[in-house]
């Protein structure tokens, strides 16, 4: 669970759920998905459908990176949900900051670009 300060004095309690290895925050019936990267969009599309089926009145997404060049599935947010993205990522294989290649490089404290010869 995390505490989020809201306004000057009010504190809103948000619960952190882990559901099929995807993390999201919940407040009332609003859901906030927290992602490291949106790539093809299929993970997010499934998660949004799942949260909507569970009765979410809105689903917002916060992603550190967004790689629109690789999008295959166009996802639709629920209700008044919003899409917050940190940075648009070019079509490179990026690692670090929690993002991995075969479970490697996840712990890098920076975002690195993998040499194509490592995965091609
Ligand atoms: O838009 P998509 O093409 O669905 O890709 C995005 C997903 O891929 C990554 O997870 P991954 O499946 O690599 O697992 P991980 O969280 O264990 O790294 C990332 O964390 C997103 O959840």
């Amino acid at each position: 669970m995390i505490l989020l300060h809201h306004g000057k004095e009010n504190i809103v309690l948000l619960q952190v759920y882990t559901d099929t290895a995807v993390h999201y925050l919940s407040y009332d019936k609003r859901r906030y998905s927290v992602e490291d990267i949106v790539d093809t969009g299929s993970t997010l599309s499934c998660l949004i459908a799942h949260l909507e089926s569970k009765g979410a009145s809105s689903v917002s997404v916060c992603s550190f990176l967004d790689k629109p060049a690789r999008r295959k599935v166009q996802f639709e947010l629920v209700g008044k949900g919003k899409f917050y993205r940190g940075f648009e990522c070019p079509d490179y294989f990026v690692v670090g900051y929690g993002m991995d290649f075969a479970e490697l490089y996840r712990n890098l404290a920076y975002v690195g670009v993998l040499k194509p010869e490592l995965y091609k």
Side-chain angles (χ1 to χ4, degrees), residues 32-74:
Y32 303 84
S33 167
V34 183
E35 274 286 20
D36 46 10
I37 189 165
V38 181
D39 194 327
T40 65
S42 72
T43 302
L44 207 48
S45 177
C46 289
L47 175 66
I48 290 170
H50 174 72
L51 295 176
E52 193 171 17
S53 76
K54 297 283 184 182
S57 62
S58 77
V59 177
S60 293
V61 175
C62 175
S63 183
F64 173 47
L65 297 177
D66 178 27
K67 204 190 282 182
R70 294 247 312 156
R71 198 76 87 244
K72 289 183 182 160
V73 181
Q74 298 300 328

